[in-house]
Amino acid sequence: MKLIRKLEIPDTFAPDDLRMRRILNIVLLAFLTISLAAMASTFAYGDSLFDVLHDDEAKIILIGSAFMFLISLTLFGVNRSQKVPKNIVGIVLVAVMLAITALADHPRELANGRSLIFWFLPIVLSLIVLPPASVFIVDAGVFVFLVVYAETLEQVNIFAMFTVVVVSVLGWLGMSIANRAIQDARNEAETNRAILSGVADGVIVLDEQGRITLANPPALNLLDGEIHKLNNLLDDDYRELGGRSLSFTWSRVEGVGNVAVVRDITRQVEVERAKDALLGVVSHEMRTPLAAILGFAEMLKMSPDSADMAERIQANAERLMRLVNDLLDHAQIQAGALRLSKESFDVRTLASAIRDQFALMAVEKGISFAVDVDADLPQKVVGDPHRLQQVVTNLVGNAIKFTEAGGVKVSFRCGKNSTWQIVVSDTGIGIPAERLPDIFEPFRRASDYDTRKHQGAGLGLSIAKRIAALAGGDITVVSKAGEGSTFTVTLPWEAP
Amino acid sequence: MKVLIVEDDADMRRLLKMVVEGLNAETQEAEDGESAIRSIEKGDTPDLVLLDLHLPNVSGSEVLDAIRKHCNSAVVIVTADVFAASEFVEKAEGVFTKPFKPKELLVKISSLLGRR
């Protein structure tokens, strides 16, 4: 392992430099191996070094390969040093290759015979280890040898020269295209990396196994270097970390995995909290005078003369109170701050609370009012009993308000697919078809505010629908103008 | 029967007094937490304390601590802070949020005083 590390080119080089030096390293390793093999092969000429040195051909091969070995070893060392430009190493290597080729055989054979093919060695080598265009300089060197080695001018091998030029041009084109492609790919990668580092938002990429494969500098900064300690990142859309509020937006990217954009929303969260606090104070401040109005009104009712007036005070104050509560709920819903509790409660208790709450009102209006609970419905369900009562109170209150004859019926029953339902049906004025689509929109009644007959800001149904949605359920409506309405609250059934 | 009303709002004090007087109980009033604590520490032992939470200078919560330390009066919290109210459900004998129904408060007070 240590040896392999020695052979490696340090990563401190520029990308282009690094690639070229790695190629040079491989070529030089091949040269070292070949020269060692050539030295070893000389022992075929005799049993000892003495025999080898007395054979002229063997001597030439031995000295030549030893020379090549030393040159390769030197260049190998030089190649790992940042002090020597990479092209110097390449030029020396190609020059040595050209020299070895020129001395490899009898000039006659190199000019016109069996060894013509060897001239391609320095040419191919220059294409690999030098900038591609330098192949033509090597070609010129080869031509000089071909002319010099030819015995007469007529014997200069024009065909060989032509072949050398064709191979060089093809090689140059091929290597230029390849280098250009590498350059383009690198530029694109650099651009992408620069964009990823430059954007203000953090970007995190998780692979299919949930491992972090990429995190840009803003992400590392936002996550405070604790990025690898974050478990179950995928489940997060919001997290508090180091006093900052972070939002995570996930998207699936085919072939990449899950990509999250991490954003610092500390400021927005602060604004939201300040708004919530303000609303809390406003509601609190309104409650105290309201308490006085309502309280005195009730005390006043005990005195017969002022009973009627007192009742009006009370009714108006209560209306104001409902409005404040609705506004607060609406603001909380808009801010995504409305949270439902999860507790086990008795459906029949809720049903009887609804019955107690509205029985008198129905009697006063002269309409019938019935609340029944399906015998199949389990005693206990899980949910937020107070918010659910708010939903039912709103629906029943509306039903009674809009019904002048007939009656209102509330049924608690089992639904399909592990759900349960609360159905509020009335025989009231109903809802015109054109009104049905936006009945759950907040402030939907603002358009006919001046002329409407019934009170209310039009927030109740939108709040009810939202509460049902937060509980994992829904509210649907079936209605016909003049024939009444049926609202159905469907909620998931959870075993206590 | 003695009832101490700790409330900074004059209207509310008057209303609470009217409710309590319906039971023929003697009332005593405190406009802030400090005077309430002073009266308790002086040795007053009301049977019941109607206590607001948001009070000038000394909070209702501190007044409650002082009451628990010096006497065994029943305490009914009457507050407009619906969020804080839930914290006192365990700590006090009764919790009412404003606006409350005087009749309901009357029923609660009479049952608490009746036990004594």
Side-chain angles (χ1 to χ4, degrees):
Chain A
M1 286 315 282
K2 216 170 171 186
L3 181 73
I4 290 172
R5 238 175 286 137
K6 276 245 157 60
L7 298 179
E8 268 294 297
I9 295 296
D11 274 339
T12 48
F13 288 98
D16 248 344
D17 220 21
L18 187 66
R19 188 173 65 87
M20 196 53 95
R21 281 180 196 265
R22 283 201 170 137
I23 292 170
L24 268 169
N25 230 9
I26 294 162
V27 171
L28 286 166
L29 266 178
F31 270 54
L32 281 172
T33 316
I34 291 164
S35 50
L36 274 175
M39 281 196 276
S41 74
T42 56
F43 285 92
Y45 292 93
D47 291 332
S48 66
L49 190 61
F50 183 80
D51 287 343
V52 172
L53 288 175
H54 276 77
D55 186 295
D56 279 348
E57 201 177 327
K59 200 155 74 181
I60 288 169
I61 295 174
L62 185 64
I63 291 167
S65 51
F67 172 70
M68 193 165 115
F69 182 82
L70 287 175
I71 290 278
S72 305
L73 204 60
T74 311
L75 289 178
F76 199 85
V78 169
N79 188 36
R80 296 184 80 249
S81 143
Q82 254 158 319
K83 291 183 191 105
V84 182
K86 63 177 186 296
N87 285 343
I88 300 290
V89 182
I91 288 166
V92 172
L93 189 64
V94 171
V96 167
M97 194 69 229
L98 193 62
I100 289 172
T101 307
L103 296 170
D105 206 346
H106 193 280
R108 187 179 62 240
E109 299 297 337
L110 283 165
N112 248 323
R114 60 180 178 193
S115 296
L116 259 174
I117 192 84
F118 285 137
W119 294 115
F120 286 107
L121 288 176
I123 289 169
V124 170
L125 191 64
S126 73
L127 280 171
I128 295 171
V129 302
L130 289 175
S134 56
V135 72
F136 298 112
I137 298 169
V138 180
D139 282 359
V142 171
F143 291 170
V144 170
F145 281 111
L146 284 178
V147 172
V148 170
Y149 283 177
E151 278 162 7
T152 62
L153 220 52
E154 283 80 35
Q155 279 185 349
V156 172
N157 195 335
I158 303 294
F159 181 71
M161 286 179 162
F162 176 71
T163 311
V164 162
V165 169
V166 169
V167 168
S168 300
V169 169
L170 289 176
W172 167 69
L173 276 174
M175 289 309 283
S176 301
I177 291 166
N179 281 351
R180 182 65 184 270
I182 290 168
Q183 195 67 45
D184 284 352
R186 189 177 299 130
N187 285 348
E188 198 183 321
E190 286 286 325
T191 309
N192 288 345
R193 213 184 56 187
I195 291 170
L196 266 183
S197 314
V199 291
D201 290 337
V203 177
I204 299 174
V205 180
L206 298 189
D207 65 11
E208 303 297 339
Q209 282 75 43
R211 287 182 300 238
I212 297 167
T213 54
L214 185 149
N216 68 345
L220 294 172
N221 182 28
L222 286 174
L223 295 171
D224 217 10
E226 293 188 65
I227 186 162
H228 294 286
K229 289 185 204 157
L230 297 175
N231 300 318
N232 308 320
L233 261 180
L234 257 178
D235 301 331
D236 266 354
D237 56 0
Y238 178 82
R239 192 176 276 222
E240 301 256 351
L241 201 77
R244 280 191 286 203
S245 311
L246 305 178
S247 83
F248 291 73
T249 313
W250 290 97
S251 50
R252 269 202 64 78
V253 179
E254 209 49 57
V256 174
N258 291 295
V259 180
V261 175
V262 189
R263 186 166 290 179
D264 188 346
I265 53 161
T266 312
R267 179 88 192 109
Q268 288 100 303
V269 169
E270 277 168 6
V271 170
E272 286 298 335
R273 280 189 189 144
K275 211 170 79 182
D276 288 350
L278 178 77
L279 273 162
V281 168
V282 167
S283 110
H284 176 261
E285 286 302 305
M286 288 175 114
R287 278 171 184 275
T288 303
L290 272 170
I293 296 171
L294 290 168
F296 281 126
E298 193 162 329
M299 301 304 281
L300 231 100
K301 274 199 288 187
M302 293 164 193
S303 143
D305 302 341
S306 40
D308 181 51
M309 191 176 64
E311 210 173 292
R312 295 321 307 151
I313 296 172
Q314 189 173 13
N316 280 283
E318 275 168 358
R319 181 181 151 194
L320 185 59
M321 187 70 211
R322 278 197 302 276
L323 173 67
V324 171
N325 284 338
D326 279 359
L327 279 172
L328 190 65
D329 284 349
H330 174 71
Q332 275 190 302
I333 286 167
Q334 292 297 309
L338 191 70
R339 302 265 184 270
L340 299 190
S341 71
K342 253 190 185 191
E343 53 195 271
S344 166
F345 67 94
D346 191 336
V347 183
R348 280 148 190 92
T349 307
L350 173 64
S352 77
I354 295 294
R355 197 181 291 120
D356 294 349
Q357 198 178 345
F358 291 101
L360 185 67
M361 204 188 283
V363 169
E364 280 171 358
K365 261 198 118 172
I367 58 173
S368 71
F369 179 62
V371 180
D372 63 64
V373 182
D374 201 336
D376 297 342
L377 196 64
Q379 188 82 13
K380 297 271 186 185
V381 293
V382 171
D384 186 328
H386 304 294
R387 288 296 181 184
L388 195 56
Q389 183 166 357
Q390 183 184 352
V391 170
V392 184
T393 298
N394 177 271
L395 296 178
V396 177
N398 281 346
I400 292 176
K401 183 161 80 179
F402 294 112
T403 303
E404 300 298 333
V408 174
K409 192 170 174 255
V410 186
S411 312
F412 292 74
R413 66 182 194 198
C414 290
K416 286 175 194 161
N417 308 324
S418 350
T419 60
W420 64 288
Q421 297 180 319
I422 305 163
V423 184
V424 180
S425 51
D426 65 58
T427 56
I429 57 169
I431 305 155
E434 70 270 16
R435 276 295 166 90
L436 272 177
D438 66 346
I439 190 159
F440 292 108
E441 294 299 314
F443 302 109
R444 71 190 184 287
R445 300 175 65 186
S447 56
D448 61 347
Y449 202 84
D450 296 339
T451 55
R452 74 223 173 93
K453 183 180 165 198
H454 298 277
Q455 301 172 349
L459 280 172
L461 274 181
S462 92
I463 292 167
K465 175 105 172 172
R466 188 62 210 193
I467 290 172
L470 278 173
D474 196 13
I475 302 180
T476 53
V477 59
V478 177
S479 182
K480 208 167 173 190
E483 290 180 20
S485 309
T486 300
F487 284 83
T488 306
V489 185
T490 304
L491 295 159
W493 189 80
E494 269 182 67
Chain B
M1 294 289 181
K2 204 164 78 180
V3 176
L4 172 63
I5 297 167
V6 189
E7 166 68 66
D8 56 332
D9 186 275
D11 272 346
M12 286 311 299
R13 270 204 311 279
R14 201 180 137 209
L15 178 66
L16 291 171
K17 196 173 172 203
M18 281 168 75
V19 172
V20 174
E21 278 169 350
L23 290 169
N24 291 324
E26 183 193 334
T27 57
Q28 194 189 342
E29 293 171 33
E31 283 180 35
D32 53 50
E34 278 156 340
S35 57
I37 291 176
R38 226 177 7 250
S39 122
I40 300 277
E41 283 177 346
K42 211 172 64 192
D44 279 347
T45 52
D47 298 287
L48 178 82
V49 180
L50 295 178
L51 180 62
D52 188 13
L53 289 180
H54 287 251
L55 293 167
N57 304 325
V58 177
S59 77
S61 177
E62 285 168 76
V63 177
L64 179 64
D65 290 342
I67 295 167
R68 292 293 182 238
K69 204 170 144 193
H70 290 97
C71 53
N72 65 343
S73 314
V75 178
V76 173
I77 304 287
V78 183
T79 179
D81 189 338
V82 288
F83 302 107
S86 55
E87 290 171 30
F88 288 86
V89 172
E90 301 284 308
K91 294 182 194 165
E93 277 70 26
V95 175
F96 283 79
T97 53
K98 295 172 191 170
F100 55 89
K101 294 226 182 287
K103 264 186 205 159
E104 286 174 14
L105 182 62
L106 193 74
V107 169
K108 182 77 190 179
I109 294 172
S110 68
S111 90
L112 283 174
L113 290 177
R115 257 182 246 156
R116 287 171 180 261

